[in-house]
Short mmCIF file of all heavy atoms in Angstrom, two decimals:
data_model
loop_
_atom_site.label_atom_id
_atom_site.label_comp_id
_atom_site.label_asym_id
_atom_site.label_seq_id
_atom_site.Cartn_x
_atom_site.Cartn_y
_atom_site.Cartn_z
N SER E 3 169.44 125.43 90.21
CA SER E 3 170.46 126.47 90.32
C SER E 3 170.40 127.14 91.68
O SER E 3 169.37 127.14 92.34
CB SER E 3 170.32 127.52 89.21
OG SER E 3 169.13 128.25 89.40
N VAL E 4 171.54 127.67 92.08
CA VAL E 4 171.67 128.40 93.35
C VAL E 4 172.36 129.71 93.06
O VAL E 4 173.43 129.73 92.43
CB VAL E 4 172.47 127.59 94.38
CG1 VAL E 4 172.68 128.42 95.65
CG2 VAL E 4 171.76 126.29 94.71
N THR E 5 171.76 130.79 93.51
CA THR E 5 172.35 132.12 93.30
C THR E 5 172.60 132.75 94.67
O THR E 5 171.70 132.86 95.49
CB THR E 5 171.39 133.02 92.51
OG1 THR E 5 171.10 132.39 91.25
CG2 THR E 5 172.04 134.38 92.25
N GLN E 6 173.82 133.13 94.90
CA GLN E 6 174.13 133.79 96.15
C GLN E 6 174.85 135.10 95.88
O GLN E 6 175.44 135.28 94.82
CB GLN E 6 174.92 132.90 97.10
CG GLN E 6 176.22 132.37 96.60
CD GLN E 6 176.89 131.45 97.61
OE1 GLN E 6 176.94 130.23 97.43
NE2 GLN E 6 177.44 132.02 98.66
N MET E 7 174.76 135.99 96.83
CA MET E 7 175.31 137.32 96.64
C MET E 7 176.82 137.25 96.43
O MET E 7 177.51 136.41 97.00
CB MET E 7 174.98 138.23 97.81
CG MET E 7 175.54 137.80 99.13
SD MET E 7 174.91 138.79 100.49
CE MET E 7 175.72 140.35 100.20
N GLU E 8 177.28 138.14 95.57
CA GLU E 8 178.70 138.15 95.29
C GLU E 8 179.45 138.81 96.42
O GLU E 8 178.95 139.71 97.08
CB GLU E 8 178.96 138.89 93.97
CG GLU E 8 178.45 138.15 92.75
CD GLU E 8 179.01 138.72 91.47
OE1 GLU E 8 180.05 139.39 91.52
OE2 GLU E 8 178.40 138.49 90.41
N GLY E 9 180.64 138.37 96.61
CA GLY E 9 181.48 139.03 97.61
C GLY E 9 182.58 139.82 96.92
O GLY E 9 182.48 140.07 95.72
N PRO E 10 183.59 140.13 97.65
CA PRO E 10 183.70 139.82 99.08
C PRO E 10 182.86 140.75 99.93
O PRO E 10 182.54 141.87 99.54
CB PRO E 10 185.20 140.02 99.35
CG PRO E 10 185.65 141.00 98.33
CD PRO E 10 184.79 140.76 97.11
N VAL E 11 182.47 140.24 101.08
CA VAL E 11 181.76 141.02 102.08
C VAL E 11 182.74 141.32 103.20
O VAL E 11 183.36 140.41 103.74
CB VAL E 11 180.55 140.24 102.64
CG1 VAL E 11 179.91 140.99 103.77
CG2 VAL E 11 179.55 139.93 101.53
N THR E 12 182.89 142.59 103.51
CA THR E 12 183.80 143.00 104.57
C THR E 12 183.00 143.65 105.68
O THR E 12 182.25 144.60 105.44
CB THR E 12 184.86 143.97 104.05
OG1 THR E 12 185.59 143.36 102.98
CG2 THR E 12 185.84 144.34 105.16
N LEU E 13 183.14 143.11 106.89
CA LEU E 13 182.42 143.63 108.05
C LEU E 13 183.38 143.84 109.21
O LEU E 13 184.41 143.16 109.30
CB LEU E 13 181.34 142.62 108.49
CG LEU E 13 180.19 142.36 107.52
CD1 LEU E 13 179.32 141.23 108.06
CD2 LEU E 13 179.38 143.61 107.31
N SER E 14 182.98 144.73 110.07
CA SER E 14 183.71 144.89 111.32
C SER E 14 183.23 143.86 112.33
O SER E 14 182.09 143.38 112.26
CB SER E 14 183.50 146.30 111.89
OG SER E 14 184.01 147.27 111.00
N GLU E 15 184.11 143.51 113.25
CA GLU E 15 183.75 142.55 114.30
C GLU E 15 182.49 143.03 115.02
O GLU E 15 182.32 144.24 115.26
CB GLU E 15 184.91 142.40 115.27
CG GLU E 15 184.96 141.08 115.98
CD GLU E 15 186.30 140.81 116.64
OE1 GLU E 15 187.05 141.77 116.90
OE2 GLU E 15 186.59 139.63 116.90
N GLU E 16 181.62 142.09 115.34
CA GLU E 16 180.35 142.30 116.03
C GLU E 16 179.25 142.87 115.13
O GLU E 16 178.13 143.12 115.60
CB GLU E 16 180.52 143.18 117.28
CG GLU E 16 181.46 142.55 118.32
CD GLU E 16 181.57 143.38 119.59
OE1 GLU E 16 180.89 144.41 119.68
OE2 GLU E 16 182.33 142.98 120.47
N ALA E 17 179.51 143.06 113.87
CA ALA E 17 178.46 143.51 112.94
C ALA E 17 177.50 142.38 112.64
O ALA E 17 177.81 141.19 112.85
CB ALA E 17 179.09 144.03 111.65
N PHE E 18 176.34 142.74 112.09
CA PHE E 18 175.32 141.77 111.68
C PHE E 18 175.61 141.31 110.25
O PHE E 18 175.93 142.11 109.38
CB PHE E 18 173.93 142.41 111.74
CG PHE E 18 172.82 141.45 111.44
CD1 PHE E 18 172.26 140.68 112.44
CD2 PHE E 18 172.32 141.31 110.15
CE1 PHE E 18 171.23 139.79 112.18
CE2 PHE E 18 171.29 140.43 109.87
CZ PHE E 18 170.74 139.66 110.88
N LEU E 19 175.49 140.01 110.05
CA LEU E 19 175.79 139.42 108.74
C LEU E 19 174.53 138.88 108.08
O LEU E 19 173.73 138.18 108.73
CB LEU E 19 176.78 138.28 108.89
CG LEU E 19 176.99 137.39 107.66
CD1 LEU E 19 177.76 138.14 106.58
CD2 LEU E 19 177.71 136.10 108.04
N THR E 20 174.37 139.19 106.81
CA THR E 20 173.39 138.50 105.97
C THR E 20 174.07 138.16 104.66
O THR E 20 174.67 139.04 104.03
CB THR E 20 172.16 139.38 105.66
OG1 THR E 20 171.51 139.73 106.87
CG2 THR E 20 171.19 138.63 104.77
N ILE E 21 173.98 136.92 104.27
CA ILE E 21 174.41 136.50 102.94
C ILE E 21 173.18 135.90 102.25
O ILE E 21 172.61 134.92 102.71
CB ILE E 21 175.54 135.46 102.97
CG1 ILE E 21 176.77 136.03 103.69
CG2 ILE E 21 175.92 135.04 101.55
CD1 ILE E 21 177.93 135.06 103.80
N ASN E 22 172.78 136.52 101.15
CA ASN E 22 171.57 136.09 100.47
C ASN E 22 171.80 134.87 99.59
O ASN E 22 172.85 134.74 98.94
CB ASN E 22 171.03 137.23 99.60
CG ASN E 22 170.48 138.37 100.43
OD1 ASN E 22 170.08 138.18 101.58
ND2 ASN E 22 170.47 139.57 99.87
N CYS E 23 170.80 134.01 99.58
CA CYS E 23 170.84 132.82 98.73
C CYS E 23 169.43 132.55 98.23
O CYS E 23 168.49 132.49 99.03
CB CYS E 23 171.35 131.62 99.50
SG CYS E 23 171.20 130.04 98.62
N THR E 24 169.27 132.42 96.93
CA THR E 24 168.00 132.00 96.34
C THR E 24 168.26 130.79 95.46
O THR E 24 169.38 130.59 94.98
CB THR E 24 167.35 133.12 95.52
OG1 THR E 24 168.26 133.55 94.50
CG2 THR E 24 166.98 134.31 96.40
N TYR E 25 167.23 130.02 95.22
CA TYR E 25 167.42 128.78 94.47
C TYR E 25 166.28 128.56 93.49
O TYR E 25 165.19 129.13 93.63
CB TYR E 25 167.53 127.59 95.43
CG TYR E 25 166.24 127.29 96.17
CD1 TYR E 25 165.30 126.41 95.64
CD2 TYR E 25 165.97 127.89 97.40
CE1 TYR E 25 164.11 126.15 96.31
CE2 TYR E 25 164.79 127.63 98.07
CZ TYR E 25 163.87 126.77 97.52
OH TYR E 25 162.69 126.52 98.17
N THR E 26 166.56 127.73 92.54
CA THR E 26 165.56 127.22 91.59
C THR E 26 165.67 125.71 91.59
O THR E 26 166.78 125.18 91.40
CB THR E 26 165.81 127.77 90.18
OG1 THR E 26 165.81 129.18 90.19
CG2 THR E 26 164.75 127.26 89.21
N ALA E 27 164.56 125.05 91.83
CA ALA E 27 164.59 123.59 91.86
C ALA E 27 163.20 123.05 91.60
O ALA E 27 162.20 123.70 91.93
CB ALA E 27 165.10 123.08 93.21
N THR E 28 163.15 121.87 91.04
CA THR E 28 161.88 121.17 90.96
C THR E 28 161.75 120.31 92.21
O THR E 28 162.74 119.89 92.80
CB THR E 28 161.84 120.27 89.72
OG1 THR E 28 162.98 119.40 89.75
CG2 THR E 28 161.90 121.12 88.45
N GLY E 29 160.55 120.08 92.63
CA GLY E 29 160.37 119.23 93.80
C GLY E 29 160.68 119.97 95.09
O GLY E 29 160.53 121.19 95.20
N TYR E 30 161.18 119.21 96.06
CA TYR E 30 161.38 119.73 97.41
C TYR E 30 162.81 119.47 97.87
O TYR E 30 163.08 118.48 98.53
CB TYR E 30 160.37 119.08 98.36
CG TYR E 30 158.95 119.31 97.93
CD1 TYR E 30 158.29 118.38 97.13
CD2 TYR E 30 158.28 120.48 98.28
CE1 TYR E 30 156.99 118.60 96.71
CE2 TYR E 30 156.98 120.70 97.85
CZ TYR E 30 156.34 119.76 97.07
OH TYR E 30 155.06 119.99 96.65
N PRO E 31 163.70 120.38 97.51
CA PRO E 31 165.11 120.12 97.84
C PRO E 31 165.41 120.32 99.31
O PRO E 31 164.67 120.99 100.04
CB PRO E 31 165.84 121.17 97.01
CG PRO E 31 164.87 122.31 96.91
CD PRO E 31 163.51 121.65 96.81
N SER E 32 166.52 119.74 99.75
CA SER E 32 167.13 120.09 101.02
C SER E 32 168.12 121.22 100.76
O SER E 32 168.73 121.28 99.69
CB SER E 32 167.85 118.89 101.62
OG SER E 32 166.95 117.87 101.95
N LEU E 33 168.29 122.09 101.73
CA LEU E 33 169.15 123.26 101.56
C LEU E 33 170.26 123.26 102.61
O LEU E 33 170.05 122.83 103.75
CB LEU E 33 168.33 124.55 101.67
CG LEU E 33 167.18 124.69 100.69
CD1 LEU E 33 166.37 125.94 100.99
CD2 LEU E 33 167.70 124.73 99.25
#
Side-chain angles (χ1 to χ4, degrees):
Chain E
S3 67
V4 175
T5 303
Q6 58 183 108
M7 62 188 289
E8 291 194 21
V11 174
T12 302
L13 294 174
S14 297
E15 207 165 20
E16 299 184 2
F18 184 87
L19 168 71
T20 300
I21 300 179
N22 291 335
C23 171
T24 57
Y25 67 90
T26 303
T28 55
Y30 302 94
S32 295
L33 302 174

